[in-house]
Amino acid sequence: MSGYLAVFVVVLIFVVIFQIAKASEYVSILKGEKKTRQQTNRVNGFLLIAFLVLGLIGVYLCHDSLQAKIITHAASEQGKGIDDMIKTTLIITGIVFVITQILLFWFAYKYQEKEGRQAFYFPHNNKLELIWTVIPAIALTILVAFGLRHWFRITSDAPKDAMVVEITGKQFNWLIRYPGKDGQLGRKDFKNINDANNPVGQDWDDQLNKDDYMATEMHLVVNKPVKLIIGSRDVIHDVGLSHFRLKMDAVPGIPTTLWFTPTTTTAQMREMTGNADFVYEISCDQMCGAGHYSMKANIVVETQAEYDAWAAKQVAQYAVAHPAPAAAPAAPAATTPAADSAHQEKVVAVNDAKH
């Protein structure tokens, strides 16, 4: 019922607007259409100038009031380059935006209809068309080239000394796997997935899996490159690393990779932000279902010593999936015939003493 009512209200609004427009036409006919149109254009010209001034002031005030809420510090080496690229893009497009908007609104006011002014028909000019086509094309090509350079950088082969972390998305959390001391991740197969003790489907016949371990949060070493191997168990997710200025889709059946070098520890960020509870977060930047809003995990960036201490406490997933059997109860101690005889004599002596 509410749906029909909403449709009726919308139709009624359109009818009212139409009737107002028709009434305005009748008024213009009575007063003189040309004179009325000129007065309307004059009012609209002033309103456009007012809108331009108030709009530019509003843009400045919004930027000034919301600037503190922007994540201003890029916590990775690659993120600093991406920030520079974004600043360059904003400067170029911002200058173009301000100039074109001022010209747009000023021309609407300056060249409004007036008595004795005739519009000039200007159908074609090769020089102008070449200028406003070639210059934007060159500028956009340069900006795209900057973007491709950063893209190829983070998706290229990681340095040989980079640590490796696998992150797998599933509705609605992240599964993080680390290689053990051998530094290599074991083979996995989706047919082996078991949420109880094998969430990513590790193949236990592969010896490389014997020391791999799972974690609920990602631990990284500051100033050390890390390669992320990204996948998904169900739908498309997206690994969002806002503080590091990176993101990458997690696609079922198609592993994706990226690498970066964190430059600021969690402790340093807490000092810089003044927030004792600050944590780096992994978010899902792809709408993945009803629980999308809750799909996140923490990242801890720390020193090598802190990372080594944390890694030493982790338990291999193989041990979790194959717990050691419970120890059997200890058997009673064996006795000799001589010991039994001595014990019987002692019992008899005690009984005699009681009698």
Side-chain angles (χ1 to χ4, degrees):
M1 186 63 182
S2 59
Y4 290 110
L5 180 60
V7 172
F8 175 75
V9 170
V10 171
V11 172
L12 184 61
I13 291 173
F14 276 108
V15 171
V16 171
I17 293 174
F18 177 77
Q19 293 299 327
I20 292 174
K22 293 297 291 183
S24 299
E25 289 181 10
Y26 297 143
V27 170
S28 66
I29 292 173
L30 294 174
K31 294 178 62 176
E33 185 175 356
K34 184 176 181 180
K35 184 177 179 180
T36 303
R37 186 175 66 248
Q38 289 177 350
Q39 290 178 348
T40 302
N41 286 341
R42 192 175 300 111
V43 172
N44 288 336
F46 281 108
L47 290 176
L48 285 170
I49 293 298
F51 183 82
L52 170 65
V53 175
L54 293 176
L56 292 177
I57 293 174
V59 169
Y60 171 78
L61 293 177
C62 285
H63 176 268
D64 186 61
S65 62
L66 299 176
Q67 187 175 11
K69 298 183 181 297
I70 299 174
I71 303 174
T72 55
H73 178 74
S76 71
E77 183 180 322
Q78 291 74 11
K80 295 176 182 177
I82 293 174
D83 272 358
D84 291 339
M85 178 190 69
I86 293 175
K87 288 177 183 177
T88 302
T89 302
L90 288 177
I91 289 172
I92 294 174
T93 56
I95 292 173
V96 173
F97 170 80
V98 172
I99 292 175
T100 55
Q101 296 306 302
I102 290 176
L103 289 177
L104 173 65
F105 287 93
W106 173 250
F107 269 57
Y109 170 77
K110 176 71 175 176
Y111 299 105
Q112 60 185 274
E113 181 183 7
K114 288 184 178 180
E115 193 70 36
R117 175 180 290 170
Q118 182 69 32
F120 177 69
Y121 182 58
F122 195 72
H124 185 69
N125 186 298
N126 288 333
K127 186 177 180 180
L128 280 179
E129 291 187 4
L130 189 65
I131 290 173
W132 68 48
T133 301
V134 172
I135 293 178
I138 293 174
L140 290 175
T141 300
I142 294 173
L143 294 178
V144 169
F146 282 138
L148 288 175
R149 183 187 69 171
H150 289 291
W151 173 258
F152 290 138
R153 184 182 182 189
I154 65 174
T155 57
S156 63
D157 293 335
K160 293 183 179 180
D161 63 337
M163 59 187 298
V164 178
V165 182
E166 180 188 78
I167 178 167
T168 304
K170 81 175 185 67
Q171 295 174 314
F172 295 98
N173 65 301
W174 297 104
L175 306 170
I176 302 170
R177 180 167 67 126
Y178 283 82
K181 294 181 179 179
D182 56 18
Q184 300 182 64
L185 291 168
R187 187 172 58 245
K188 62 180 186 177
D189 189 330
F190 73 93
K191 297 177 182 178
N192 298 330
I193 290 176
N194 180 346
D195 282 326
N197 53 34
N198 193 1
V200 296
Q202 292 172 259
D203 182 356
W204 302 128
D205 293 331
D206 184 359
Q207 293 300 314
L208 295 177
N209 271 316
K210 297 299 175 66
D211 60 355
D212 293 357
Y213 56 90
M214 305 289 296
T216 56
E217 60 184 9
M218 186 180 293
H219 282 246
L220 305 177
V221 179
V222 67
N223 296 323
K224 184 173 183 178
V226 55
K227 175 183 178 181
L228 298 185
I229 300 176
I230 302 167
S232 172
R233 268 183 38 173
D234 35 51
V235 300
I236 296 178
H237 300 280
D238 190 291
V239 176
L241 307 169
S242 57
H243 287 90
F244 305 101
R245 306 297 194 267
L246 302 169
K247 60 180 293 184
M248 179 64 74
D249 281 347
V251 185
I254 305 177
T256 54
T257 63
L258 63 81
W259 72 273
F260 65 98
T261 305
T263 57
T264 310
T265 65
T266 301
Q268 290 172 332
M269 281 296 287
R270 287 174 178 172
E271 292 180 5
M272 293 171 60
T273 60
N275 179 9
D277 299 323
F278 171 85
V279 291
Y280 292 114
E281 285 190 358
I282 306 171
S283 61
C284 180
D285 292 351
Q286 179 74 30
M287 185 64 183
C288 59
H292 165 73
Y293 67 93
S294 64
M295 190 168 174
K296 63 181 181 178
N298 292 340
I299 300 178
V300 178
V301 180
E302 55 199 354
T303 64
Q304 184 69 57
E306 291 171 331
Y307 173 80
D308 292 340
W310 171 81
K313 300 176 183 177
Q314 306 308 305
V315 179
Q317 191 63 27
Y318 180 85
V320 175
H322 302 83
T335 58
T336 61
D340 288 342
S341 176
H343 177 69
Q344 291 177 359
E345 291 178 357
K346 185 176 180 179
V347 172
V348 171
V350 171
N351 290 335
D352 291 342
K354 290 180 178 179
H355 293 292

